[in-house]
Amino acid sequence: MSTLEIKDLSVSVNDKPILSNLSLTVNSGEIHALMGPNGNGKSTLLSTIMGDPDYTVTHGSIMLDGKDVLSMSVDQRSKAGIFLAMQYPIEIPGVTNSDFLKEAINARRESPIRLFEFYRLMEGAIHDLKMKPDLAHRFLNQGFSGGEKKRNEIVQMKLLKPSIAMLDETDSGLDVDALKLVADAILDLHQTAPMGMLVVSHYKRFYDYLHPSHVHVLINGSIILSGEKDLIERIDSEGYDWIYRQYGIDPSNNGKTSSGLLGTCATKGAFNGNL
Amino acid sequence: MSNNQHVYDGADHYKYGFSDGNISVFNTGIGLNDDVVKTISSLKHEPKWMLDYRLKSLHHFINRPLPSFGPKLDDIDFDGFTYFNRAADKESANWDDVPEKIKNTFDTLGIPQAERDFLAGVTTQYDSEAVYHNMLDEVKEKGVIFLDTDSALKQYPELFQKYFGTLVPYTDNKFAALNGAVWSGGSFIYVPKGVTLEKPLQSYFRINSANMGQFERTLIIVDDDAHVHYVEGCTAPIYSKESLHAAVVEIFVGKHASCRYSTIQNWSDNIVNLVTKRASVDAYGSMEWIDGNIGSAINMKYPACILKGEHANGYCVSIAVASRKQKQDAGAKMIHLAPYTTSTIISKSVARLGGETNYRGYVSHGPHADHARSKVECDTLILDDISRSDTIPTNISTNQTSTIEHEATVSKISEDQIYYLMSRGLTRDQATQMIIMGFIEPFTKELPMEYAVELNQLLKLDMSGSVG
């Protein structure tokens, strides 16, 4: 049983404030959906929890089961059970998936995993995500398609078995079949070892598979609205305009007025009136 | 006296930096002159032509200026070295006869193990002469000659004289001249026509005595349609004063023949390594240099292929890792003399902790090298702000139909890559090592597996705690 507790978190990038006084608690077994227009801080929140050096915490705290996450290095956070399936997984030439994963698994073990055991686990994960069998011997993310990269993140997640799992638009770039595959793999892992999950997606379809227990809307660096699944339904059909109006938010205040991009990744037609 | 006193405090950072004390049976004393050369030749009971060759080489060495390029060598005191050192009274044919101290050293290096596991033959050089030599019967049955070079001169004088010094004459450069004067030991390989050796032949070289120059001479002749892989490993103990290593390697690759020569040079960081390696390749033949440079204080090494027959192919993949106080000046030379010859150079350099690594390469397409093709790729990874690297390529084409491609990159380790690996639980050091190992993967993938594993461990040892 794990609890991730974010309190009054403010974060800047290059002295530009992105998150302000954000608070959120995620417990094992819970799936939190994080929604909101682009450029409002969803990825920032996830990256900050993971420890991305580009983000500077200016205020607040992040605790994992009472331990101060902000004082941990990135690898310590990983070993403590935090995992981030990244929006843009990095390519590492010359390093095979299997060498990398073996080292990542061994990083959290007293004694190194036996090779036989490792390959059994890896082959299982590759099979579950219907990746090509040569994945183990390919270089980490190098030359992978967008969808392969995203699936490979979930292969890693399955093998590393985090207690807190964060998915940053893992579903974008996946075709319809792959989306279901990835969702099933996540749910399978979640059922055997319940995680606390923080999921960023623009797709109702992905959330339909995952059945989030909590839904939050992040605008201008703060969670301004939380609810349950019906919130996803409403955003999917109506967009964010009603939230702006209801909470008196001027969307042009958002430094990055990139909400025009939304139409490309949200349900078609939902934003026609807003742009 | 015990040489262990000279082992400096950092010795435990260097895996093979042990010394087994002074066990020398005979040496020529410090310094170099006609008498030293005559003594070496006489002790070896050499024919007169070899003594003459040595003396001509010596005189050329004395008169020849230092190279006009590369790292500064002015500080080397050539009169401060011992040029010949005989460790054992005679070569031992049986491992059991090898003196205990030497055996312990080799045991630590794991040679008998390696031999059992995958080697077709082992010849090991301890200081100046081979002390242990063995070959599998299979290799003998195929008519392959694999000897230390001194024995080869005695047993196969005609074959020896036909090739010796013809590809790297003593007039080639100052250090080839030095080697010509005082050479001792090395490997001699002859692979007869049509013979293919499936397993690599291997030799270990080791400098044991302080201020001891080592000048091995290797001669490999691969006759037409024959194929061989030779693996040379180098490790040396650490001493407080610099040691000199100036080897010469000559390889003759016949028609439709192939030779692969794999080395990981891991001299301790007080050794000056000045090596001339050259192969001539006949029509449809292929020469591959797999050349790793991790150790030594100063390293100058540019394996060369002279592609003299049509469709001959030259390949050199190398790495150079330069750390604190190290200068790696390495590269490759491809000299195309015939039509349709092809060559590839892949060079990977890593500079860190103030080390300096330079790629120095030479590709020439002569007037007869119609339709020749060359590809040069050199990539450098610089790990900090105090290390440096230069790329000094020379590409010359003197005909209209040949092509030379050249690509070079210099980069730092990407923080995005480090972050990604750390987010999966690797420490910063582990992540850095993994990225470096990935960077040099085009080299490691060419190595026999045991070597790849050892290289991996050597670099890990070397890198640990070094990257902030």
Side-chain angles (χ1 to χ4, degrees):
Chain A
M1 184 74 191
S2 283
T3 302
L4 182 75
E5 198 175 10
I6 302 155
K7 258 196 191 151
D8 301 326
L9 187 71
S10 298
V11 174
S12 327
V13 176
N14 297 327
D15 296 330
K16 184 178 177 296
I18 307 285
L19 299 180
S20 60
N21 288 310
L22 185 148
S23 295
L24 178 66
T25 299
V26 180
N27 294 302
S28 298
E30 297 174 355
I31 299 181
H32 292 245
L34 207 51
M35 300 188 77
N38 285 326
N40 277 270
K42 301 184 300 297
S43 287
T44 298
L45 176 61
L46 269 46
S47 300
T48 303
I49 296 168
M50 194 70 249
D52 186 333
D54 289 347
Y55 299 89
T56 309
V57 175
T58 54
H59 184 257
S61 67
I62 304 175
M63 307 294 278
L64 177 64
D65 302 328
K67 281 173 283 184
D68 179 13
V69 171
L70 292 178
S71 68
M72 297 180 192
S73 59
V74 178
D75 58 305
Q76 286 167 343
R77 296 179 197 202
S78 168
K79 281 175 269 206
I82 299 174
F83 181 89
L84 171 61
M86 296 201 189
Q87 190 177 1
Y88 304 108
I90 305 291
E91 300 188 2
I92 318 265
V95 174
T96 61
N97 261 295
S98 59
D99 282 351
F100 157 65
L101 274 169
K102 209 170 346 122
E103 190 137 343
I105 287 173
N106 286 338
R108 57 204 77 224
R109 288 169 58 106
E110 289 277 317
S111 59
I113 187 167
R114 295 159 67 113
L115 272 188
F116 177 79
E117 167 80 354
F118 170 72
Y119 279 107
R120 196 181 56 80
L121 285 174
M122 176 131 195
E123 273 161 20
I126 288 169
H127 177 261
D128 289 351
L129 286 145
K130 289 209 169 65
M131 301 210 51
K132 292 182 194 124
D134 67 352
L135 179 83
H137 308 293
R138 287 173 70 188
F139 296 149
L140 183 51
N141 294 327
Q142 200 186 22
F144 284 28
S145 71
E148 280 181 315
K149 283 183 185 172
K150 295 302 182 68
R151 277 190 277 173
N152 197 27
E153 294 290 281
I154 304 306
V155 167
Q156 295 173 30
M157 188 171 110
K158 279 189 77 97
L159 293 183
L160 300 181
K161 297 189 172 53
S163 53
I164 300 292
M166 305 183 286
L167 310 180
D168 195 355
E169 298 195 26
T170 297
D171 53 337
S172 65
L174 294 177
D175 63 43
V176 182
D177 294 334
L179 185 71
K180 179 160 192 327
L181 215 66
V182 162
D184 285 345
I186 294 166
L187 286 176
D188 181 53
L189 184 60
H190 190 56
Q191 269 150 20
T192 47
M195 304 173 281
M197 297 189 66
L198 200 45
V199 182
V200 171
S201 170
H202 294 294
Y203 288 95
K204 173 179 173 296
R205 184 193 290 272
F206 193 44
Y207 290 133
D208 283 345
Y209 287 124
L210 293 183
H211 304 292
S213 52
H214 302 69
V215 179
H216 312 282
V217 179
L218 208 162
I219 292 177
N220 283 351
S222 303
I223 291 173
I224 57 155
L225 178 61
S226 295
E228 293 179 27
K229 263 204 89 188
D230 55 338
L231 193 50
I232 298 172
E233 307 284 340
R234 185 161 181 201
I235 291 169
D236 189 56
S237 58
E238 295 178 37
Y240 293 104
D241 201 36
W242 62 275
I243 302 177
Y244 288 131
R245 267 185 274 113
Q246 191 171 326
Y247 289 86
I249 299 164
D250 178 0
S252 62
N253 275 349
N254 175 10
K256 291 182 195 163
T257 50
S258 54
S259 49
L261 292 172
L262 260 181
T264 58
C265 50
T267 306
K268 201 177 159 190
F271 299 93
N272 285 350
N274 301 339
L275 303 177
Chain B
M1 71 168 231
S2 164
N3 283 324
N4 287 319
Q5 286 159 6
H6 297 288
V7 176
Y8 73 80
D9 292 336
D12 57 354
H13 297 305
Y14 181 73
K15 192 181 169 193
Y16 298 143
F18 46 80
S19 162
D20 47 21
N22 197 334
I23 50 150
S24 178
V25 175
F26 175 85
N27 71 61
T28 52
I30 287 172
L32 183 57
N33 52 45
D34 280 21
D35 286 341
V36 168
V37 167
K38 283 176 187 163
T39 306
I40 294 172
S41 193
S42 139
L43 275 168
K44 291 170 176 290
H45 307 289
E46 286 178 348
K48 180 156 189 312
W49 75 265
M50 184 54 79
L51 173 61
D52 293 344
Y53 184 91
R54 288 182 182 277
L55 289 169
K56 276 187 285 185
S57 300
L58 174 66
H59 301 147
H60 188 82
F61 166 72
I62 291 165
N63 295 320
R64 182 84 178 236
L66 288 164
S68 56
F69 59 89
K72 258 172 60 96
L73 302 172
D74 303 346
D75 297 337
I76 300 176
D77 174 16
F78 288 102
D79 289 325
F81 298 104
T82 304
Y83 285 86
F84 184 74
N85 211 338
R86 178 172 278 189
D89 286 336
K90 61 178 199 306
E91 192 181 342
S92 309
N94 187 325
W95 183 254
D96 293 336
D97 297 338
V98 174
E100 205 59 34
K101 274 189 172 182
I102 294 178
K103 211 149 75 175
N104 289 342
T105 307
F106 285 142
D107 278 345
T108 316
L109 289 171
I111 294 173
Q113 194 75 46
E115 185 190 353
R116 273 198 303 274
D117 290 347
F118 84 113
L119 295 174
V122 168
T123 188
T124 47
Q125 173 148 342
Y126 199 92
D127 287 352
S128 299
E129 287 185 271
V131 290
Y132 169 69
H133 180 86
N134 190 23
M135 271 171 69
L136 293 184
D137 291 342
E138 178 202 341
V139 174
K140 274 185 190 156
E141 276 165 21
K142 285 180 167 174
V144 174
I145 302 167
F146 182 31
L147 290 169
D148 69 276
T149 311
D150 294 283
S151 304
L153 174 59
K154 290 189 186 76
Q155 294 178 33
Y156 300 91
E158 283 169 26
L159 187 63
F160 191 99
Q161 195 169 2
K162 184 178 166 193
Y163 289 98
F164 179 87
T166 58
L167 195 51
V168 183
Y170 65 86
T171 50
D172 192 84
N173 65 71
K174 188 174 179 73
F175 306 107
L178 178 61
N179 180 281
V182 297
W183 74 267
S184 192
S187 291
F188 180 93
I189 299 168
Y190 174 75
V191 189
K193 268 188 187 127
V195 168
T196 297
L197 286 182
E198 304 290 346
K199 294 176 182 177
L201 294 169
Q202 181 156 8
S203 169
Y204 280 77
F205 296 95
R206 212 171 138 68
I207 293 175
N208 188 58
S209 309
N211 304 330
M212 170 49 211
Q214 184 159 356
F215 306 92
E216 84 271 4
R217 185 90 189 191
T218 288
L219 195 53
I220 300 175
I221 302 144
V222 191
D223 217 327
D224 297 348
D225 298 299
H227 306 277
V228 70
H229 181 187
Y230 177 66
V231 182
E232 180 204 86
C234 284
T235 55
I238 287 178
Y239 287 99
S240 56
K241 212 174 160 197
E242 75 209 45
S243 271
L244 180 61
H245 181 248
V248 169
V249 178
E250 295 174 286
I251 300 180
F252 300 84
V253 181
K255 293 187 180 76
H256 296 275
S258 71
C259 178
R260 167 173 280 221
Y261 188 109
S262 304
T263 326
I264 298 172
Q265 175 272 109
N266 183 31
W267 298 115
S268 54
D269 59 11
N270 58 332
I271 289 198
V272 179
N273 191 44
L274 309 162
V275 174
T276 308
K277 290 185 165 177
R278 194 171 297 164
S280 81
V281 191
D282 223 324
Y284 295 92
S286 176
M287 176 67 211
E288 299 175 330
W289 296 104
I290 314 298
D291 198 63
N293 299 285
I294 296 163
S296 68
I298 296 175
N299 180 50
M300 292 176 78
K301 179 141 60 100
Y302 324 96
C305 294
I306 298 171
L307 306 169
K308 63 176 192 177
E310 58 178 22
H311 293 277
N313 175 53
Y315 179 70
C316 181
V317 50
S318 61
I319 55 160
V321 181
S323 302
R324 204 176 277 114
K325 293 182 189 162
Q326 279 184 291
K327 286 193 174 79
Q328 299 280 8
D329 201 82
K333 293 182 188 174
M334 295 291 172
I335 296 152
H336 295 244
L337 302 179
Y340 297 101
T341 45
T342 51
S343 67
T344 307
I345 297 172
I346 298 169
S347 158
K348 298 273 179 179
S349 308
V350 179
R352 58 185 205 107
L353 297 173
E356 185 177 331
T357 167
N358 296 329
Y359 167 79
R360 193 182 301 277
Y362 180 83
V363 175
S364 86
H365 289 181
H368 302 297
D370 299 313
H371 306 286
R373 278 178 293 121
S374 292
K375 191 168 187 256
V376 181
E377 189 190 314
C378 33
D379 301 313
T380 303
L381 200 56
I382 300 183
L383 300 194
D384 52 43
D385 294 331
I386 54 168
S387 304
R388 52 169 296 160
S389 167
D390 278 317
T391 300
I392 308 154
T394 307
N395 300 324
I396 299 167
S397 180
T398 53
N399 76 69
Q400 299 292 318
T401 57
S402 72
T403 55
I404 301 176
E405 281 175 60
H406 182 97
E407 287 172 37
T409 66
V410 178
S411 52
K412 294 199 154 195
I413 284 192
S414 136
E415 278 301 318
D416 287 346
Q417 291 181 337
I418 298 256
Y419 166 62
Y420 186 69
L421 295 180
M422 286 180 75
S423 79
R424 303 306 189 240
L426 276 64
T427 62
R428 177 167 278 272
D429 276 357
Q430 287 173 322
T432 305
Q433 276 168 16
M434 185 158 268
I435 293 163
I436 292 169
M437 292 314 292
F439 174 76
I440 63 167
E441 187 274 346
F443 174 80
T444 33
K445 76 170 180 205
E446 303 285 357
L447 296 173
M449 200 174 56
E450 284 82 347
Y451 261 59
V453 168
E454 179 164 305
L455 177 70
N456 205 328
Q457 278 160 358
L458 275 174
L459 285 182
K460 272 187 180 167
L461 207 72
D462 204 27
M463 297 287 167
S464 59
S466 65
V467 186

